[in-house]
């Protein structure tokens, strides 16, 4: 028990030593765009995300987000709409550059409308929608342009678990974007 208390005390000191004062309220919103792909499907496409969160200090934030991945698979239109929540840990390496990681979970709503092209899997030849839970893991870098604006690059993966659209496999998004800090 004593070792756990010492470990917790050391971790909190590390967090305080890396956490600069926030210049704003701690609330933020970011918009990102890039490329998305699905593990078991042949075609990738444009991907966008929108996240809103609250940074309790420079090292820790909680956020909610939405990811949109429209694509064409086997001639069928497919849409992935992912709603998620995540914990975000940030390591400020300088006053301008930070590395961060995100871990969380969400739900993916996938819909598609199919065609009867030769080679199209049967499940894509009908209008349908599926849903399942996903785990989220992401890493990225943030470049501060001012106290209120950051440029971001990020790689995020959504791993399906529990029912629904697991046949598409993991969804990977490589994104760039901007963040506004209130």
């Amino acid at each position: 028990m004593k070792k756990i208390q010492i470990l917790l005390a050391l971790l909190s000191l590390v967090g305080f030593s890396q956490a600069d004062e926030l210049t704003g309220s701690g609330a933020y919103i970011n918009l990102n765009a890039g490329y998305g792909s699905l593990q078991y499907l042949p075609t990738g496409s444009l991907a966008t995300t929108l996240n809103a969160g609250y940074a309790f200090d420079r090292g820790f934030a909680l956020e909610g987000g939405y990811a949109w991945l429209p694509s064409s698979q086997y001639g069928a239109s497919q849409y992935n709409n992912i709603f998620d929540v995540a914990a975000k840990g940030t390591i400020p390496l300088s006053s301008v550059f930070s590395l961060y990681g995100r871990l969380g979970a969400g739900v993916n709503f996938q819909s598609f409308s199919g065609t009867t092209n030769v080679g199209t899997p049967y499940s894509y030849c009908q209008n349908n929608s599926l849903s399942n839970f996903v785990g989220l893991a992401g890493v990225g870098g943030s470049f501060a342009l001012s106290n209120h604006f950051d440029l971001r690059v990020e790689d995020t993966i959504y791993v399906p678990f529990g029912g629904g659209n697991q046949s598409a496999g993991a969804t990977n998004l490589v994104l760039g974007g901007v963040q506004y800090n209130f």
Side-chain angles (χ1 to χ4, degrees):
M1 187 65 169
K2 188 98 166 148
K3 289 180 184 180
I4 293 174
Q5 291 173 339
I6 292 171
L7 180 63
L8 289 175
L10 288 174
L11 287 174
S12 65
L13 287 175
V14 168
F16 288 129
S17 70
Q18 293 182 356
D20 297 335
E21 290 293 319
L22 290 172
T23 57
S25 69
Y28 63 88
I29 188 166
N30 61 55
L31 178 64
N32 309 288
Y35 180 78
S37 61
L38 298 159
Q39 182 179 7
Y40 300 130
L41 296 175
T43 308
S45 72
L46 167 75
T48 60
T49 63
L50 176 67
N51 298 296
Y54 186 82
F56 295 95
D57 58 35
R58 288 249 351 225
F60 180 73
L62 293 176
E63 63 185 29
Y66 170 70
W68 183 57
L69 178 66
S71 64
S72 177
Q73 306 292 339
Y74 304 106
S77 297
Q78 178 177 325
Y79 301 94
N80 285 285
N81 295 282
I82 303 171
F83 297 89
D84 63 67
V85 293
K88 179 179 172 184
T90 302
I91 300 171
L93 298 178
S94 72
S95 61
V96 176
F97 181 69
S98 299
L99 294 176
Y100 63 88
R102 300 177 342 137
L103 286 175
V107 63
N108 181 12
F109 298 99
Q110 183 184 70
S111 62
F112 48 89
S113 58
T115 62
T116 56
N117 293 342
V118 175
T120 302
Y122 175 74
S123 61
Y124 281 85
C125 293
Q126 53 190 328
N127 294 335
N128 204 351
S129 62
L130 305 166
S131 62
N132 70 295
F133 293 104
V134 293
L136 169 155
V139 295
S142 179
F143 304 89
L145 298 177
S146 70
N147 287 338
H148 294 287
F149 287 100
D150 296 351
L151 293 178
R152 306 161 34 87
V153 292
E154 181 175 314
D155 187 4
T156 300
I157 188 165
Y158 298 94
V159 179
F161 58 91
N165 54 356
Q166 292 185 36
S167 63
T171 302
N172 189 57
L173 307 180
V174 179
L175 306 163
V178 296
Q179 178 168 302
Y180 181 76
N181 305 302
F182 293 95

